[in-house]
Amino acid sequence: VLSCSPIMLTPYLSGTLIDIEKIKHLVSQAYDEAGFTPETVDTGAVVITGEALKKENAQPIAELFARESGKFICVSAGPNHEALLAANGCGAVALSKAKAATMLNIDLGGGTIKLSLIRDGTVVSTAAIEVGARLIALAEDNVVRRLEQPTKTMMDELGHPVAVGQPVSEEQKEALARQMAESLFEVIHGGTTSDMAGHLMLTDPLQSYQGPGDVDYVVCSGGVSEYIDQRDTTDYGDLGPYFAKHIRERLNATFSQEVLQQATEGIRATVIGAGEYTIQASGSTCHLSGIDSLPAFGLKVVRPLLNGEDSVERALRAALSKFDLTGIEEGLALALAVEEPPNYRSLRRLAEGISAVAGRTAAPLFIVVDTDVAKSLGGILKE
């Protein structure tokens, strides 16, 4: 990491609009302080996540920055993709691989909390729940400046209704933080959840997960983790310190101290994860069905787990779901491990699985393989 800018709270013009001029100033200032210009950066990513993703001008803003910055990829990261980025960026994936262990990464964001189950260095399942420290934003006098729907729902249920422009009490802040923590740990414990926790879930629960006893280590990341690990004590006009206190109490009650590990990155985990790997692909064999889509830069790589036993189609769809995708779309590449030794039967099986997922999509299909079989695989796919 060569440079890290200061962290700016997402600036809003209104409840539905992001302030683009303030973000432009932050980006320009960050380039200046790092001693770089957009022309000197080879590649990068613009990622929109969480509550910001719901705002009406979020996508145009991201596309603008991606375009102005050069060969950047623009990603609207839904909850599963954000979980994947955080798990890589906070060091949980690397730690799981190094220790050959099962890890649970809890990414504590402003608007959502993402869970990643990681076995032997591979993220096998992700989930997300709509609780977070900045679902309510407060002025210095504890008057509500911004209020997201999940907070309104929870506070109505608790009998503490809140509204923009009205003050909130310490009792109300504690009650909301406690409710969010309770809903989160219902999901972490697994099994049946309350109606409230079920209502707040953004995804299905973690798959192939047996509860806290199923994990060797737990790593927390995201902005709220800075309070849990005592790396930050600043009050940003939200529920960060309150939420962190209740999460810490439940972590200590659920897991032993040796299970709880500190992340290498906390609040920056998602952005570090977005820049985790960059590669240029080439090989001694290739297959081109046309050149209109070349050259291609900034492809988002999806890597399915192909073990030779499961259905190729099922493995591809599971990998796509980690990126909140249901099919092949523009700007995507599949990275495939080919069974050794490759033969017509194994390549045909691979091609049939790819074809079943790709269907009749109009998007160019880019495939990168770890064995020099691209020409053969491409021929079978075309057929």
Side-chain angles (χ1 to χ4, degrees):
V1 176
L2 301 180
S3 177
C4 286
S5 78
I7 291 164
M8 172 191 278
L9 297 174
T10 306
Y12 292 103
L13 289 171
S14 69
T16 60
L17 289 173
I18 297 170
D19 190 334
I20 187 171
E21 292 304 319
K22 285 187 177 179
I23 298 179
K24 273 185 174 179
H25 178 71
L26 171 72
V27 173
S28 174
Q29 187 177 20
Y31 269 112
D32 290 342
E33 291 177 356
F36 285 85
T37 64
E39 294 74 29
T40 58
V41 177
D42 298 311
T43 186
V46 179
V47 185
I48 331 169
T49 64
E51 286 299 318
L53 183 56
K54 299 177 184 177
K55 307 310 175 187
E56 60 186 78
N57 63 343
Q59 193 68 32
I61 287 175
E63 290 171 354
L64 170 69
F65 284 115
R67 195 163 55 246
E68 287 187 350
S69 301
K71 298 167 184 173
F72 273 34
I73 185 172
C74 175
V75 179
S76 299
N80 290 303
H81 189 187
E82 193 178 355
L84 192 65
L85 294 176
N88 279 282
C90 77
V93 169
L95 185 60
S96 170
K97 186 174 183 179
K99 292 181 176 286
T102 297
M103 307 279 301
L104 179 65
N105 174 217
I106 308 171
D107 189 61
L108 304 156
T112 57
I113 292 182
K114 285 72 58 182
L115 303 172
S116 292
L117 184 66
I118 311 155
R119 300 193 194 277
D120 298 329
T122 298
V123 178
V124 295
S125 181
T126 55
I129 182 170
E130 200 168 17
V131 295
R134 288 196 68 76
L135 288 174
I136 185 170
L138 307 171
E140 290 182 5
D141 52 2
N142 280 330
V143 170
V144 178
R145 287 168 42 200
R146 186 168 52 83
L147 183 66
E148 304 296 349
Q149 185 57 47
T151 295
K152 192 173 185 314
T153 300
M154 283 183 279
M155 293 305 276
D156 287 347
E157 185 75 17
L158 290 168
H160 294 291
V162 291
V164 173
Q166 293 183 354
V168 294
S169 65
E170 289 295 306
E171 180 188 2
Q172 287 174 308
K173 288 191 281 187
E174 284 284 354
L176 179 56
R178 187 183 306 110
Q179 176 61 60
M180 290 196 296
E182 284 178 2
S183 296
L184 169 62
F185 273 81
E186 282 183 48
V187 178
I188 289 173
H189 282 287
T192 306
T193 57
S194 65
D195 290 344
M196 175 59 73
H199 177 74
L200 293 169
M201 287 298 293
L202 291 170
T203 66
D204 292 333
L206 289 172
Q207 302 300 304
S208 304
Y209 172 66
Q210 308 302 318
D214 190 26
V215 298
D216 302 309
Y217 300 102
V218 173
V219 171
C220 291
S221 58
V224 178
S225 74
E226 302 282 332
Y227 294 106
I228 292 174
D229 295 332
Q230 298 180 325
R231 290 184 284 200
D232 194 358
T233 57
T234 310
D235 184 350
Y236 294 102
D238 56 32
L239 292 186
Y242 299 86
F243 196 20
K245 180 187 76 172
H246 287 283
I247 290 173
R248 186 165 51 240
E249 288 173 358
R250 283 165 174 77
L251 282 170
N252 291 334
T254 306
F255 301 100
S256 61
Q257 282 303 309
E258 58 268 21
V259 169
L260 301 173
Q261 302 285 307
Q262 190 160 327
T264 55
E265 291 289 342
I267 194 168
R268 288 186 169 89
T270 303
V271 290
I272 296 293
E276 189 80 359
Y277 302 107
T278 297
I279 192 167
Q280 294 181 344
S282 63
S284 58
T285 74
C286 62
H287 176 94
L288 290 174
S289 56
I291 60 171
D292 292 345
S293 56
L294 296 176
F297 299 100
L299 298 174
K300 182 164 61 177
V301 179
V302 174
R303 185 183 176 204
L305 299 175
L306 302 174
N307 59 16
E309 297 173 6
D310 291 340
S311 155
V312 172
E313 179 183 354
R314 189 159 54 243
L316 285 170
R317 294 197 186 281
L320 287 166
S321 71
K322 292 180 185 178
F323 290 82
D324 300 287
L325 300 172
T326 56
I328 305 296
E329 63 174 37
E330 196 85 28
L332 205 66
L334 299 178
L336 305 176
V338 179
E339 293 177 38
E340 293 285 358
N343 53 41
Y344 178 81
R345 184 177 179 182
S346 63
L347 293 181
R348 175 76 187 216
R349 177 174 172 269
L350 195 57
E352 286 175 346
I354 295 168
S355 178
V357 174
R360 297 184 178 276
T361 177
L365 182 59
F366 294 97
I367 301 172
V368 184
V369 289
D370 64 349
T371 307
D372 285 321
V373 294
K375 189 169 185 179
S376 301
L377 179 60
I380 299 170
L381 265 171
K382 186 177 180 181
E383 178 192 329

